[in-house]
Amino acid sequence: MNKENVTITVYGADQRCASCVNAPGSKETYEWLQAAIGRKYGNEEITYQYIDIFTAEEDEYIEKIMEDELFYPLVLVEGEIAGEGDPRLKSVYQHLEKHGLSAQEG
């Protein structure tokens, strides 16, 4: 069965979110998500994207982060918020499965 590619986008920055002092940094979260998701679902059907909120062209999510409406790292699955600040794998997994991915066997 040929599934569509699912895109995971992580918005973050080198500096830690002021409200997320004890949480992992954005890059660490991005790398951790890739490893955890890859173990469970494989990486063939997933595209990862990291956006630095201080160097990228502003969009609606960067604007909301800058206005303290959202915390970073902000994790999106196909444009839907799956986690923010200190994202939970369970929530990200639920979003992936909603888009047709299923855990690998073995």
Side-chain angles (χ1 to χ4, degrees), residues 60-99:
E60 67 178 299
Y61 295 107
I62 293 174
E63 188 176 310
K64 287 181 179 183
I65 291 169
M66 295 302 185
E67 293 175 358
D68 293 328
E69 292 177 35
L70 295 171
F71 295 111
Y72 65 89
L74 176 67
V75 180
L76 304 179
V77 175
E78 286 298 309
E80 296 176 358
I81 296 174
E84 63 175 308
D86 188 10
R88 302 287 174 228
L89 273 177
K90 184 176 181 180
S91 175
V92 175
Y93 289 166
Q94 287 172 340
H95 279 80
L96 290 170
E97 289 170 7
K98 180 175 144 184
H99 288 282

Side-chain angles (χ1 to χ4, degrees), residues 4-86:
E4 288 186 34
N5 209 34
V6 175
T7 301
I8 297 174
T9 306
V10 176
Y11 284 84
D14 287 337
Q15 71 186 56
R16 293 185 195 271
C17 166
S19 301
C20 310
V21 174
N22 294 323
S26 299
K27 287 277 189 179
E28 291 92 346
T29 298
Y30 177 68
E31 292 166 358
W32 167 72
L33 283 171
Q34 284 181 312
I37 292 167
R39 279 191 301 273
K40 184 165 181 154
Y41 299 98
N43 285 315
E44 296 79 34
E45 299 162 344
I46 302 171
T47 301
Y48 298 91
Q49 178 181 20
Y50 181 83
I51 298 174
D52 187 306
I53 61 173
F54 294 113
T55 60
E57 189 172 318
E58 191 164 307
D59 66 15
E60 67 178 299
Y61 295 107
I62 293 174
E63 188 176 310
K64 287 181 179 183
I65 291 169
M66 295 302 185
E67 293 175 358
D68 293 328
E69 292 177 35
L70 295 171
F71 295 111
Y72 65 89
L74 176 67
V75 180
L76 304 179
V77 175
E78 286 298 309
E80 296 176 358
I81 296 174
E84 63 175 308
D86 188 10

